[in-house]
Structures are given as C-alpha cells and as structure tokens.
Amino acid sequence: MSDFQPTPRTQVKRLPKRGKYDRETVYAILDDGFVCHVGFSVDGQPFVIPTNYGRSGETLYLHGSAASRMLRTLSEGVPVSVTVTHVDGLVLARSAFHHSVNYRSVVILGTARLVDDPTEKMEALRVFTEHVMKGRWDDVRQPNEQEMKATTVLALPIEEVSAKIRTGGPVDDEPDYALPVWAGVLPLETVAKEPLPDPQRKNDPSVPGYIKSYRR
C-alpha cells in the first residue's frame, strides 16, 4: 500500500519523528478504536462531538439519528476534522516537566458526503456493527425500513490524514537522573470483563465465542 502524502495541514511539525503516514499504521489505529471526536464549526461556533465510527477500505463512516445536528450540518459540506486517540501508558519522569503519555493518534481532514444509496447505507451499518464486535452482524436482526429512515450515515474519505505515535520511557534532563525518584512507564490497556446477560431474558443462548474471546 502506498503512503499517504502529508499536506501543510497534516504534516506533523512538532516532534516530526513521531509522524506516520503509511496506510498500515493509520488503518491499525483506526481499527483499534471505538470512539472518534468530530470537530466542525457552525456560524463561528466550534463543536467537538464524540461518536462511534467504522472503516471500510479508504472510507470512514459516521452514523446517528436523522435528527442529529452534527450529521445534518456535515451533510451540507461543512469541513470536518476527525480524531482517534489511544493512550497506551503514562510516562512518569523524574521531573514534572518531562511527564508524558505513550499514545497513538490519527487526524483526518476533509468533507463528508451523505450516504443515500440503500445498499451502501446497509453495508455501512454492517461495518459499524462488525467494527464494535466482529461476528455480530450475522447473529442479530438487521435494520428494517423504518430504522434505516431514522438513521443518517455519512462517508468521509481517508485521504488527508496523518498519524502520530509516542512510545518508550521518560527522557529526563541529565542532572535529574541522579534524583532518588522512581521513573518509568505505567502501561494502560482496554480489557474486556465477564459478559453481563440482559436481565429481561432468562433463557438466552449461551455467550457466543466471539464475545468470550473478545480482545481490543
């Protein structure tokens, strides 16, 4: 896969060594996440809205209620910025100034389009479901006509994009290495716990294997 070409808006300028533009890295960060933050401006007022997403190839899909102001605004061609971030660890240095976090992030800039083709819209909803829980779509009732009408789907091309990553331990000033202070990294991760059955039903089937073995 060819790399993305950084633009003046996506070129990582501060700590440029952390910038990544290869598709494998960008897609891996997107595929590991659940929630993105969508930034846009309406009449001079900026908004940043957290929402779920799904990726299919070079397209990021957003969805929600047909009454959503965010989706209605973006469908009119308002420029958008979408970010996804994972915090992988707390970097604890010997000085307060050099504390940091290990992270992986992606920023996508562009203009979203309204998905009105029924086939693509249904496929996008499948992508959302499978993004959250792989194997789930074939087990559940798929959206009916009324639910499709109540849902808006937008497609954002993954074209103007960059990733930024920090890994490794703390980097202190040389004199501070003599301080009697513990320093290092406290790793963080998302861990799935024991599934909790719906209390409304007492005779549901056993927990599917794709839930029992779920990892993110």
Side-chain angles (χ1 to χ4, degrees):
M1 294 185 292
S2 60
D3 292 349
F4 293 104
Q5 295 302 311
T7 69
R9 302 196 300 174
T10 60
Q11 181 82 47
V12 177
K13 297 179 175 63
R14 184 177 179 276
L15 302 173
K17 291 183 179 180
R18 296 183 184 177
K20 306 292 181 183
Y21 307 97
D22 62 286
R23 292 177 187 271
E24 183 179 4
T25 296
V26 169
Y27 291 163
I29 293 172
L30 293 175
D31 293 348
D32 279 350
F34 283 112
V35 177
C36 66
H37 287 81
V38 180
F40 59 100
S41 180
V42 179
D43 297 329
Q45 172 61 56
F47 296 91
V48 178
I49 307 297
T51 189
N52 297 118
Y53 66 90
R55 181 184 74 86
S56 177
E58 299 177 349
T59 301
L60 193 81
Y61 287 108
L62 307 173
H63 82 304
S65 167
S68 165
R69 177 176 61 178
M70 178 188 77
L71 298 178
R72 185 172 62 252
T73 299
L74 295 183
S75 68
E76 296 171 353
V78 172
V80 62
S81 172
V82 174
T83 64
V84 173
T85 303
H86 307 283
V87 177
D88 297 320
L90 305 180
V91 182
L92 308 175
R94 293 163 184 83
S95 67
F97 181 80
H98 287 298
H99 278 61
S100 186
V101 296
N102 284 338
Y103 64 89
R104 294 163 290 143
S105 66
V106 163
V107 175
I108 307 171
L109 304 177
T111 302
R113 64 174 173 84
L114 179 67
V115 176
D116 49 17
D117 176 74
T119 301
E120 184 184 5
K121 190 173 184 180
M122 182 66 79
E123 172 60 15
L125 296 178
R126 186 195 69 80
V127 167
F128 289 127
T129 305
E130 290 292 291
H131 181 71
V132 173
M133 179 65 67
K134 188 172 180 59
R136 190 65 175 168
W137 181 257
D138 290 335
D139 275 0
V140 299
R141 177 182 66 78
Q142 298 177 6
N144 58 36
E145 183 177 355
Q146 181 178 357
E147 292 166 339
M148 291 286 280
K149 288 181 179 179
T151 303
T152 294
V153 175
L154 299 181
L156 177 65
I158 305 173
E159 295 175 347
E160 192 173 4
V161 59
S162 64
K164 194 174 181 182
I165 298 175
R166 188 204 191 277
T167 60
V171 180
D172 275 304
D173 295 331
E174 191 60 35
D176 290 337
Y177 283 97
L179 294 174
V181 177
W182 186 92
V185 176
L186 180 63
L188 302 175
E189 62 179 337
T190 299
V191 177
K193 295 188 175 182
E194 188 71 20
L196 302 175
D198 183 355
Q200 298 296 321
R201 287 273 298 269
K202 305 299 182 183
N203 59 342
D204 272 350
S206 58
V207 179
Y210 57 78
I211 297 179
K212 291 180 180 179
S213 61
Y214 183 84
R215 293 181 61 84
R216 200 74 185 185

